[in-house]
Amino acid sequence: MAAGLAREHVRVAVIGSGFGGLGAAVRLRRAGITDFVVLERADAVGGTWRDNSYPGCACDVPSHLYSFSFAPNPDWPRAFSGRRHIRAYLERIADTFGLRPHLRFDAEVLALRWDGAALHWEVETARGPLTADVVVSATGPLSDPRIPDIPGLDGFPGKVFHSARWDHGYDLRGKRVAMVGTGASAIQIVPEIQKEVRRLTLFQRTPPWVLPRMDRRITGAERWLHSRLPASGALRRGLLWGIRELQVGAFTKRPAELGFVERLAGAHMRRAIKDPVLQARLTPRYRIGCKRILLSNDYYPALARPHVDVVGGLKEIHGSTLVGSDGTETEADAIIFGTGFRVTDLPIAHRVTGSKGTTLAEEWKGGMEALRGTTAAGFPNFLTIIGPNTGLGNSSMILMIEAQLTYLTDYLRQLDALGGKAALDARPSAVRAYNDMIQERMKRTVWNSGGCESWYLDGNGRNTTLWPGSTGEFKRVTRHVRLAEYQVLRQRTEAGQGAESTAGRGSR
């Protein structure tokens, strides 16, 4: 940068404009903070609900629970709303709360570097540089697709794309299509595309547990009531939340109690699948809940169609011939990967360089970990929304996001109370103690003991994604920032001498 040209400076830079980023922006404005920007790599808000436009895309959390408590939507059209309505809801959030002036589109964050002397972050974006006192990363774990390294994929002559990057210009009608993966996206895609393809082959590495989707149209009378009497909508949301809170113990402490749910799922499958060979192929061999439980009423009927085949996981590719792990060979014109995202290897972590000159990815090479799922040692004034061990197996992530937003606002309040130029850096001992507690509790959860391999676990076999408790408990542990868990960094008065560290005072 040329001498004399100062970078733009903001108090807070938020990365991403999905639920986490827009929620952070709302809470900042409500706290009286207007000196912030929301950096978005795409050209519109919406996060995963903008990027995932595949046929049948919808949420598996009830609509009234999958929305902000401070922005209820009385007009949800269905109990489980589709992608179009969720994205429209997020656009309304941006308008209703006056967030548009803070949004910067096509501003992908290329690099973040902590300046210990100035006590701020240097931010390089596709639209130019800036600096920020505090950075809030709300990129989300379901944002960067993961395509497995399949031998021969580069030589496949047909069309290849990931479910999160759907190619709407490619016509599937009359094509021989391979669907790779059996996760939440795949079970929504399969019933839709089987209606138009000539042949559909589902490459299944592990069968999922699938329960009925209790979806229905929300009546006009219900919507009128929620609009005229907001307390009725709040009551509905509270009931949905309470039911899921009662289920937490089975997932986190008593997995044996889930046997009854397995029987329900088995009966659901057998109602649609009559072929005993296919039944056996679709029956999981692990405890329900170990992998994400899926909801669908039309997945199994689609698999029972004569032009749909279920084979083993995709092993290798020879030209246009796809070979399954069971030796099955299939000819295909197109391959659609529904193989998930880079959840335990967050791409943003490779772009963030902290106080020690190492990236967040390097610090997390043994596994992600953060204090209260939000801050990492050596990365002052850097907070992650939906960070390590904040995911859920049975409820709405919006509840976790709102809890972290409370932590964010208290974090900024603490910085104000300290006065002057200051930063907070999570103590390694505090991060270690918190994560030791998480991993100890994780041992008895269904996710660790249920006998499956899932994207919840990282390459070292550690569960660094899920929260082993209730949403109410997470709300309590993130209600306040405990200064005793942080080092307080202040600027030295002598120019060029960097920052001095003082112990965090007080505990709450």
Side-chain angles (χ1 to χ4, degrees):
M1 183 182 297
L5 293 180
R7 293 188 178 199
E8 175 191 8
H9 181 79
V10 295
R11 186 178 183 197
V12 183
V14 179
I15 309 173
S17 66
F19 269 98
L22 294 182
V26 171
R27 293 293 291 269
L28 288 171
R29 284 188 61 91
R30 285 189 158 190
I33 299 170
T34 57
D35 183 17
F36 71 90
V37 294
V38 179
L39 304 171
E40 170 55 57
R41 67 183 178 183
D43 59 0
V45 303
T48 191
W49 297 105
R50 176 199 59 236
D51 296 340
N52 284 269
S53 60
Y54 60 78
C57 183
C59 188
D60 59 4
V61 175
S63 303
H64 287 84
L65 195 58
Y66 198 76
S67 47
F68 291 119
S69 63
F70 54 78
N73 178 18
D75 294 320
W76 288 118
R78 302 196 64 83
F80 292 85
S81 290
R83 172 242 183 194
R84 179 169 64 90
H85 294 102
I86 296 173
R87 186 177 177 191
Y89 171 78
L90 290 171
E91 292 282 359
R92 287 198 300 276
I93 293 292
D95 292 329
T96 302
F97 291 92
L99 305 183
R100 296 289 178 186
H102 301 278
L103 293 168
R104 296 192 182 177
F105 296 121
D106 302 310
E108 181 176 8
V109 172
L110 307 175
L112 289 159
R113 181 175 293 276
W114 175 250
D115 184 331
L119 289 188
H120 66 214
W121 285 95
E122 295 180 349
V123 187
E124 300 290 339
T125 81
R127 287 182 51 176
L130 68 148
T131 58
D133 293 331
V134 176
V135 171
V136 180
S137 176
T139 59
L142 306 183
S143 56
D144 288 86
R146 184 184 65 84
I147 293 181
D149 185 14
I150 305 294
L153 179 60
D154 290 344
F156 179 70
K159 188 70 177 179
V160 178
F161 56 89
H162 191 279
S163 61
R165 301 292 184 267
W166 196 269
D167 189 339
H168 293 276
Y170 183 75
D171 191 355
L172 293 174
R173 287 177 295 182
K175 301 294 197 307
R176 299 167 299 178
V177 178
M179 181 78 221
V180 182
T182 53
S185 300
I187 72 157
Q188 295 178 346
I189 293 169
V190 165
E192 295 298 318
I193 67 174
Q194 63 85 21
K195 301 171 185 176
E196 56 186 31
V197 304
R198 172 154 59 106
R199 189 107 207 143
L200 176 60
T201 303
L202 177 65
F203 284 84
Q204 171 189 268
R205 188 176 60 178
T206 309
W209 285 105
V210 182
L211 287 170
R213 183 182 178 86
M214 308 302 287
D215 192 21
R216 66 173 180 83
R217 185 180 68 85
I218 296 178
T219 67
E222 290 174 281
R223 290 152 70 180
W224 179 88
L225 179 64
H226 296 332
S227 177
R228 299 299 178 88
L229 190 62
S232 66
L235 176 61
R236 183 176 191 153
R237 177 186 174 90
L239 289 173
L240 291 169
W241 169 77
I243 291 170
R244 280 154 182 77
E245 290 292 275
L246 292 174
Q247 299 169 352
V248 170
F251 286 85
T252 60
K253 299 176 183 178
R254 303 177 297 276
E257 294 180 359
L258 294 167
F260 172 70
V261 187
E262 287 183 4
R263 292 191 289 273
L264 291 177
H268 178 55
M269 184 261 290
R270 290 189 294 273
R271 276 193 292 271
I273 305 296
K274 304 303 180 183
D275 178 3
V277 175
L278 185 54
Q279 284 182 1
R281 191 172 297 161
L282 295 175
T283 301
R285 300 290 186 265
Y286 55 87
R287 176 65 74 190
I288 193 170
C290 183
K291 294 168 71 77
R292 185 173 175 179
I293 300 175
L294 308 180
L295 306 178
S296 177
N297 297 327
D298 48 12
Y299 177 64
Y300 287 135
L303 298 186
R305 301 278 293 172
H307 68 299
V308 178
D309 297 310
V310 181
V311 301
L314 182 57
K315 181 181 178 182
E316 56 189 0
I317 301 172
H318 302 290
S320 60
T321 302
L322 281 58
V323 183
S325 59
D326 55 1
T328 306
E329 295 189 354
T330 303
E331 294 293 314
D333 302 306
I335 303 174
I336 303 171
F337 283 96
T339 46
F341 301 86
R342 294 176 61 183
V343 176
T344 58
D345 176 30
L346 299 177
I348 190 67
H350 294 268
R351 306 181 184 190
V352 183
T353 301
S355 60
K356 296 189 294 183
T358 54
T359 65
L360 189 55
E362 290 170 331
E363 293 296 318
W364 280 352
K365 62 184 178 182
M368 300 188 301
E369 57 180 28
L371 178 60
R372 305 185 187 277
T374 309
T375 54
F379 296 83
N381 285 8
F382 181 85
L383 297 87
T384 301
I385 306 299
I386 314 184
N389 292 112
T390 59
L392 296 174
N394 75 312
S395 193
S396 173
M397 280 304 301
I398 311 306
L399 302 169
M400 304 296 277
I401 289 173
E402 289 200 43
Q404 287 192 282
L405 297 181
T406 297
Y407 195 80
L408 165 64
T409 53
D410 195 54
Y411 190 102
L412 294 170
R413 187 187 66 79
Q414 296 279 10
L415 287 178
D416 284 343
L418 288 169
K421 187 76 169 179
L424 296 177
D425 188 5
R427 292 181 177 278
S429 58
V431 175
R432 190 177 313 113
Y434 180 79
N435 284 275
D436 285 348
M437 177 272 292
I438 292 287
Q439 294 305 319
E440 182 61 31
R441 290 179 57 176
M442 200 66 73
K443 292 177 182 177
R444 57 181 178 176
T445 67
V446 68
W447 312 305
N448 279 41
S449 65
C452 73
E453 294 183 9
S454 73
W455 58 264
Y456 299 150
L457 309 180
D458 64 18
N460 300 310
R462 296 175 70 240
N463 191 326
T464 58
T465 57
L466 296 185
W467 165 247
S470 68
T471 60
E473 182 186 2
F474 188 75
K475 183 178 180 179
R476 289 191 295 274
V477 303
T478 53
R479 182 169 289 129
H480 298 295
V481 170
R482 295 158 174 80
L483 278 183
E485 296 180 331
Y486 288 88
Q487 290 178 304
V488 178
L489 307 180
R490 293 186 180 277
Q491 276 186 309
R492 292 186 184 276
T493 55
E494 300 86 3
Q497 294 300 307
E500 61 180 350
S501 172
T502 59
R505 299 179 179 86
S507 175
R508 302 183 64 174

